[in-house]
Structure formats: structure tokens, C-alpha cells
């Protein structure tokens, strides 16, 4: 689900990393369902991330456009000439590899390359695959100098290529898939992590109203909305009784943390969702804004910190690798935002509960006959281990 450039990226052999396997569980699976293929912790009895991860090279670069994803290139080029400033053809269209929620294309011309993201063809859920929201948030952030691709133009007229789409710049650089950064010298690893963390902190310092995003999300407590949402998804897809889920459904809304502030929330902020400069240890573009909204910045922050309990960093010799500890990473963020480190246990419990809700949704789709391949089946099996892990963190946070 990203417009990523793989010119220089770490290979991630099976057995390493927090990484998200790029796979199609179903053609129109959402970004959230894609996230469910990589549980946050290797939990006994579950399928570990390493067992599902494919090598990065399988998702690097481009390929000819698949038949099911073909678009009318003549109509597309006519639209580009009219709406993208400075566009000059002729046009060559390729497709980025990987099981992306929103199909993503590389558009090459003799003088410049662009990226096109479009909604999938066919019937979709009303709020799914909202490319107009992606375009809006990167356009607003780009005006503030935040590292995102340049937003050129949005098309909401389905008659052009069959679905809404937008055009942005093609950012050349490096994507790292292995969080231990084996391709980088030790002195660069800490700097890469620092740039990643400081970039997230910078995102959370923007006033949404001041940059034109006041109505980009719903008002009220973000975690209350999220817990309610995933509870409803779980109930709608329920296929078995899970004691831990029942306890979490009762405990989480009763113990919601106070929301101190509202910021832009990315929703899936991870190392492989950003492009780094070709030679420097700095982020030049944050990718995959499909899940972005307004909410509690602690959602992004604690999601980031969970990487330290995931396969890849969990158990790694951080000092020898010259990578920051979880505490050091948190301090980098807090120094930029002026916030304090929260008790992580509630947030970790919530994040795992959310994943359990996503995987149960996949189980429901299997039940209903709309998802049946092996990857969907494996993801569905993770609901119980994820729920048990979530309840363990809830108990650490005081649940009884």
C-alpha cells in the first residue's frame, strides 16, 4: 500500500524482521487486513511473522500491469496533460509489485516519473480505499515541508480510468525492511532510527486546524472510538467464544486513557513505510496514509514502540547493533513533542486487541465465503494468540 522505491533496500530473508508480508488475501482487502498478516509478537501457538515474510526482492521495483489492473492509458494521458502541471508525454505505465490495497502504478515520461494510486475496481465498502483522503493529507503536509511525496492532482471522475485516483511525485531513495539494518554501518543505524522517530514526533506537532485538516477526523476520544469499532467488527465476525476477548471488551472501554491532545495520526507508522535519502540517514517521504485520521498521537507513538517486542528487535543485541533501546526511542520522541512516557501496557493491550479484531474479521470473511486462500486461513488462526497476548498486557496494566 505504498509508493515505495526499492532501488536500495535491505533484503529480509525469512526469520528476520517485523515486516509485513506483501500478499493479496483477497483483491480488495483493506490496509488494516493487510496489517493482520504480521502479529506484533512471536506468541506461542501463533504463526510468527518470520514464517509469513517473503524476501523483500519479491516486492521491489515494478512489473508490467496485471490484466485485472489495466487502465485506459490514452484517457489517462489526456487527463494528465490537462491536470498535471508540466506534464509531457509519451507515457509508459508499470505497476509496483506487492499486494497493495490501492493499486499503485509508476508513470514514466522522458523527463519525469510519477506515481498513481487508485481505488480498486468493483464494489467497495463506503469508507474503504479513500484515495481522496490520502491526497488531502499529503497535500496539506507537503505545504508544511513535512517529508511526503508531492501531491499533483486528484481525479474523482470514475469515467477516466474506472476509479478515483491521484498523482504524486516519484521519490527515489531507500526502503529498509529489516529493523536491524544489516546493510548499514553501525554509525548510520542509530541515525536512521532517530530520523524515523523525530519525523513521527514532527507529524504530531502540527495543529490540524492550522494546516486545513480540522475536519479530517471525528471529535471525541480516539481510543474510545477505536475500541468500539473493533468490538463491533469482532461481534459481526464472531466464529468462536474467546474468554480473553470478552474480558478485553469489558475492560478496555472502562480504562480508557485521557486524551491530552489531537494530532494527525498516520495509523501504520513503520520503518518500511518510509523512504530514506539515497545516501543520508534521513526520511525523505512517509508513505501509506490510507489509515490516517485525527486522533490521539499516543496511538502512533505506542505502535512505534511495539517494534521492540516484535521479532527482529526483540532479543537483538541493540548495543552491539548501535540501535536505540525502547526507552531511548521513547525519549527521542518525548524530547521533540515535550510529552512524557506513558504506561505502555494499556496501549500494547489495545494494539493487540485491534489486531485480534482484524484477524477475526478475516475469519468472518472465510465463514461468509469471501476469503478462502491459505494466507487468509493463517491470519484467522492468530485471533486467539493475539487475544491472549493482549490480555497479558491488560493484566500488567491492572486488569483482573
Amino acid at each position: 500500500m505504498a509508493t515505495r522505491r526499492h532501488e536500495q533496500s535491505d533484503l529480509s530473508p525469512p526469520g528476520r524482521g517485523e515486516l509485513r508480508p506483501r500478499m493479496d488475501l483477497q483483491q480488495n482487502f483493506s490496509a488494516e487486513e493487510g496489517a493482520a498478516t504480521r502479529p506484533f509478537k512471536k506468541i506461542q501457538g501463533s504463526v510468527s511473522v518470520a514464517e509469513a515474510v517473503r524476501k523483500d526482492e519479491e516486492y521491489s521495483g515494478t512489473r508490467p500491469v496485471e490484466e485485472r489492473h489495466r487502465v485506459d492509458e490514452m484517457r489517462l494521458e489526456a487527463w494528465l496533460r490537462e491536470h498535471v502541471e508540466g506534464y509531457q508525454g509519451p507515457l509508459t505505465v508499470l505497476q509496483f509489485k506487492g499486494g497493495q490495497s490501492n493499486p499503485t502504478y509508476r508513470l514514466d515520461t522522458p523527463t519525469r516519473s510519477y506515481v498513481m494510486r487508485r481505488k480498486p475496481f468493483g464494489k467497495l465498502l463506503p469508507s474503504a480505499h479513500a484515495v481522496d483522503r490520502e491526497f488531502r493529507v499529503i497535500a496539506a503536509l507537503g505545504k508544511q515541508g513535512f517529508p511526503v511525496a508531492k501531491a499533483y492532482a486528484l481525479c474523482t471522475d470514475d469515467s477516466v480510468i474506472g476509479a478515483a485516483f491521484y498523482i504524486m511525485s516519484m521519490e527515489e531513495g531507500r526502503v529498509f525492511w529489516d529493523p536491524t539494518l544489516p546493510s548499514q554501518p553501525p554509525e548510520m543505524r542509530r541515525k536512521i532510527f532517530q530520523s524515523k522517530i523525530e519525523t513521527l514526533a514532527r507529524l504530531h506537532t502540527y495543529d490540524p486546524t492550522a494546516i486545513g485538516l480540522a475536519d479530517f477526523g471525528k471529535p471525541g476520544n480516539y481510543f474510545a472510538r477505536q475500541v468500539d469499532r473493533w468490538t463491533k467488527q469482532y461481534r459481526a465476525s464472531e466464529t468462536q467464544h474467546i474468554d480473553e476477548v470478552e474480558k478485553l471488551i469489558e475492560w478496555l472501554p472502562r480504562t480508557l486513557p485521557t486524551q491530552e491532545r489531537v494530532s494527525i495520526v498516520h495509523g501504520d507508522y513503520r520503518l518500511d513505510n518510509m523512504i530514506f535519502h539515497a545516501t543520508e540517514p534521513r526520511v525523505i517521504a512517509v508513505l501509506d496514509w490510507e489509515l490516517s485520521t485525527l486522533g490521539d498521537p499516543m496511538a502512533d507513538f505506542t505502535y512505534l514502540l511495539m517494534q521492540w517486542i516484535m521479532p527482529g528487535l526483540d532479543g537483538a543485541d541493540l548495543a552491539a547493533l548501535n540501535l536505540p533501546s525502547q526507552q531511548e526511542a521513547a525519549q527521542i520522541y518525548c524530547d521533540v513533542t515535550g510529552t512524557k512516557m506513558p504506561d505502555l501496557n494499556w496501549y500494547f493491550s489495545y494494539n493487540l486487541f485491534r489486531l485480534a479484531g482484524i484477524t477475526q474479521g478475516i475469519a468472518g470473511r472465510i465463514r461468509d465465503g469471501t476469503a478462502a486462500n491459505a494466507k487468509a486461513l493463517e491470519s484467522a488462526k492468530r485471533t486467539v494468540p493475539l487475544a491472549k497476548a493482549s490480555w497479558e498486557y491488560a493484566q500488567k496494566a491492572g486488569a483482573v
Side-chain angles (χ1 to χ4, degrees):
M1 299 168 289
T3 58
R4 57 193 82 245
R5 313 299 154 252
H6 293 287
E7 281 70 16
Q8 301 180 47
S9 55
D10 285 333
L11 292 184
S12 264
R16 304 206 64 168
E18 169 270 327
L19 322 175
R20 168 174 55 188
R22 298 286 168 182
M23 59 187 71
D24 278 319
L25 301 182
Q26 187 181 348
Q27 179 176 348
N28 291 344
F29 258 33
S30 70
E32 290 158 335
E33 288 172 321
T37 63
R38 41 173 170 73
F40 283 88
K41 188 177 181 181
K42 188 170 182 180
I43 306 161
Q44 187 173 359
S46 72
V47 179
S48 71
V49 174
E51 293 166 348
V53 172
R54 299 177 182 179
K55 290 182 179 180
D56 178 47
E57 58 192 354
E58 294 183 37
Y59 308 105
S60 301
T62 57
R63 63 187 176 195
V65 179
E66 292 183 44
E67 183 64 34
R68 64 185 175 129
H69 289 153
R70 289 190 182 278
V71 300
D72 187 327
E73 295 182 15
M74 292 184 63
R75 289 180 64 86
L76 173 60
E77 183 160 27
W79 187 91
L80 292 170
R81 291 183 184 278
E82 182 177 353
H83 295 93
V84 175
E85 183 179 357
Y87 175 84
Q88 293 182 329
L91 174 68
T92 300
V93 181
L94 295 169
Q95 184 175 359
F96 286 103
K97 295 180 180 179
Q100 295 149 343
S101 176
N102 289 326
T104 307
Y105 304 78
R106 175 170 174 154
L107 310 181
D108 289 327
T109 72
T111 59
R112 183 176 296 174
S113 294
Y114 305 88
V115 172
M116 178 176 76
R117 292 258 286 170
R118 70 160 174 82
K119 284 189 174 185
F121 298 137
K123 185 178 180 180
L124 304 173
L125 294 173
S127 62
H129 311 279
V131 295
D132 54 330
R133 285 179 58 83
E134 290 185 36
F135 179 83
R136 182 182 176 191
V137 71
I138 66 171
L141 289 170
K143 292 176 183 178
Q144 308 306 312
F146 186 80
V148 288
K150 179 179 178 180
Y152 281 106
L154 169 70
C155 177
T156 57
D157 181 358
D158 289 356
S159 69
V160 177
I161 63 168
F165 66 92
Y166 70 92
I167 306 297
M168 59 183 155
S169 61
M170 168 96 170
E171 299 297 325
E172 303 282 357
R174 301 173 294 172
V175 175
F176 300 113
W177 292 76
D178 188 326
T180 63
L181 300 172
S183 70
Q184 301 303 297
E187 64 271 17
M188 298 295 281
R189 292 172 185 157
R190 183 172 290 263
K191 292 178 181 178
I192 287 170
F193 265 69
Q194 182 165 343
S195 178
K196 175 184 73 169
I197 298 163
E198 289 179 343
T199 299
L200 179 63
R202 180 180 170 191
L203 173 68
H204 292 164
T205 62
Y206 291 117
D207 177 354
T209 300
I211 65 173
L213 294 175
D215 59 347
F216 195 63
K218 296 179 181 179
N221 187 290
Y222 173 78
F223 284 111
R225 298 197 307 271
Q226 290 294 301
V227 170
D228 181 66
R229 173 184 181 180
W230 295 114
T231 297
K232 288 177 179 176
Q233 164 133 335
Y234 176 83
R235 291 298 188 208
S237 307
E238 192 170 3
T239 57
Q240 59 183 317
H241 178 86
I242 304 173
D243 286 340
E244 289 81 5
V245 171
E246 299 304 322
K247 294 175 183 176
L248 289 162
I249 287 173
E250 187 279 329
W251 179 78
L252 284 168
R254 185 166 50 81
T255 56
L256 292 168
T258 302
Q259 182 166 328
E260 302 291 343
R261 56 197 179 98
V262 174
S263 74
I264 301 162
V265 172
H266 180 274
D268 196 16
Y269 194 83
R270 296 175 292 107
L271 184 66
D272 56 297
N273 268 347
M274 58 197 71
I275 298 173
F276 284 81
H277 187 275
T279 59
E280 300 173 16
R282 62 181 175 88
V283 178
I284 62 171
V286 177
L287 308 172
D288 280 13
W289 293 89
E290 185 174 350
L291 302 181
S292 62
T293 186
L294 298 187
D296 193 327
M298 287 295 104
D300 274 346
F301 175 47
T302 57
Y303 182 88
L304 170 73
L305 293 181
M306 288 193 74
Q307 185 175 37
W308 274 260
I309 63 167
M310 302 172 193
L313 292 185
D314 184 23
D317 189 339
L318 300 178
L321 292 168
N322 195 31
L323 294 174
S325 66
Q326 186 186 73
Q327 183 64 41
E328 290 171 331
Q331 194 59 54
I332 293 170
Y333 176 91
C334 292
D335 286 345
V336 175
T337 59
T339 56
K340 294 182 180 180
M341 176 80 160
D343 178 359
L344 296 177
N345 290 309
W346 190 95
Y347 296 99
F348 284 5
S349 176
Y350 156 75
N351 277 307
L352 290 162
F353 172 77
R354 170 178 172 265
L355 277 187
I358 294 170
T359 56
Q360 187 59 45
I362 296 172
R365 295 181 73 161
I366 294 171
R367 176 198 62 197
D368 298 338
T370 58
N373 69 25
K375 301 306 179 186
L377 292 168
E378 290 297 337
S379 292
K381 291 178 182 177
R382 296 175 182 158
T383 303
V384 172
L386 287 166
K388 289 182 179 296
S390 175
W391 182 243
E392 288 177 8
Y393 279 107
Q395 290 176 305
K396 293 178 182 179
V400 292

